[in-house]
Amino acid sequence: MTKINSIYVIDDDAITLFGVKKILAKTVDCDSVSEFHNGQTALNALIHAMENGFEVPDLIFLDINMPIMDGWEFLEEFLRLPIDKKIIINILTSSIDPSDLRRWHYYKDRTDHLVIFKNKPIFSIDLCDILRTHMAS
């Protein structure tokens, strides 16, 4: 089982949160899986962790369509943070809008973090691919 210190799951959909956490429980040994219902609460938690010397997440699962602060707004703010550690950001979306794919390319090309684009629903095989990526980085 893959060992990961910390994972953030940022999604306003209770079914997706439940599903991702259920799959993670079967495939990952993780000290902390934190869930957030919008990008703003996740960003606040991340900044709080950085300011107080806590570990930032190794993996982030990020929905793009959420209230208050959507995934794109979160990603924009996230990329401004002084994080040296390479984080894998998994964009999980039900969107079929081509502009979302273009935005993903824009963000993935602007950072050393690994930004992956996956359509919902996520399956255990998808998560295994993500975890292999984590192990390789």
Side-chain angles (χ1 to χ4, degrees):
M1 191 175 276
T2 304
K3 173 72 172 133
I4 297 175
N5 293 323
S6 176
I7 298 172
Y8 281 12
V9 184
I10 310 168
D11 200 310
D12 63 325
D13 179 56
I15 294 170
T16 300
L17 286 168
F18 176 80
V20 169
K21 287 172 43 179
K22 186 102 170 147
I23 293 170
L24 286 171
K26 293 179 182 179
T27 56
V28 176
D29 176 15
C30 184
D31 295 334
S32 173
V33 177
S34 302
E35 70 177 58
F36 304 93
H37 298 276
N38 65 68
Q40 188 63 61
T41 57
L43 184 64
N44 292 345
L46 184 59
I47 292 169
H48 175 76
M50 292 173 63
E51 290 175 346
N52 291 287
F54 299 120
E55 185 151 350
V56 297
D58 297 307
L59 294 171
I60 296 174
F61 292 91
L62 178 64
D63 184 24
I64 53 176
N65 294 313
M66 295 178 288
I68 303 172
M69 176 185 273
D70 70 23
W72 299 125
E73 293 166 323
F74 170 86
L75 203 50
E76 187 69 36
E77 295 299 320
F78 173 85
L79 294 180
R80 291 185 181 137
L81 297 175
I83 300 173
D84 295 328
K85 173 179 167 179
K86 186 175 183 177
I87 297 173
I88 299 173
I89 303 159
N90 305 284
I91 297 172
L92 300 178
T93 184
S94 56
S95 173
I96 58 170
D97 186 341
S99 68
D100 286 328
L101 200 54
R102 285 192 298 275
R103 287 179 90 175
W104 165 64
H105 278 285
Y106 170 78
Y107 284 108
K108 80 176 185 71
D109 293 341
R110 287 185 49 207
T111 183
D112 289 332
H113 300 291
L114 182 59
V115 183
I116 300 168
F117 191 91
K118 292 276 188 182
N119 284 99
K120 290 180 183 177
I122 187 166
F123 299 101
S124 57
I125 190 72
D126 296 328
L127 189 56
C128 289
D129 291 342
I130 291 166
L131 295 174
R132 273 194 292 280
T133 302
H134 170 71
M135 298 304 291
S137 63

